[in-house]
Amino acid sequence: MSRRLSRTPRGLARRAKARAKRARPHARIANIRQDALHRFTTDLARRFCPRVIEDLNLRGRMANRHGPAPLPTWALFLRNLSLQ
């Protein structure tokens, strides 16, 4: 799908249609992941009343030479858990 998008000339309606077609599976996967995370945090919040979350050195994790850890997922996890 990316190849088809790259071959369409810019500025055409056909290119916008190709972009939308390529974005659809990515959006679907993102929605599936977000739903699974939401279900997991909701289940944790319902089963365990006192929740204790360890404070992580996020700045140190970003400066790691092996690359950044998946922080957006962790941030969403903490946010969802604090809202429950």
Side-chain angles (χ1 to χ4, degrees):
M1 291 204 196
S2 294
R3 185 176 295 172
R4 184 177 295 169
L5 175 66
S6 68
R7 289 179 177 171
T8 56
R10 293 186 179 191
L12 295 182
R14 197 174 59 190
R15 184 174 177 92
K17 189 186 281 189
R19 283 184 69 197
K21 193 170 186 177
R22 188 187 70 175
R24 208 170 291 128
H26 293 285
R28 183 177 178 271
I29 291 170
N31 288 338
I32 289 171
R33 287 181 178 157
Q34 187 176 8
D35 181 54
L37 182 65
H38 190 269
R39 287 175 189 242
F40 178 65
T41 54
T42 303
D43 181 51
L44 281 179
R46 287 186 178 152
R47 283 196 295 153
F48 304 107
C49 188
R51 296 178 297 272
V52 179
I53 300 172
E54 181 183 354
D55 187 23
L56 296 176
N57 181 11
L58 297 181
R59 204 171 287 230
R61 288 174 61 116
M62 290 297 289
N64 189 355
R65 66 186 173 103
H66 296 293
L71 292 179
T73 305
W74 181 251
L76 285 174
F77 176 77
L78 291 178
R79 190 189 72 200
N80 286 349
L81 202 56
S82 66
L83 292 177
Q84 299 292 328

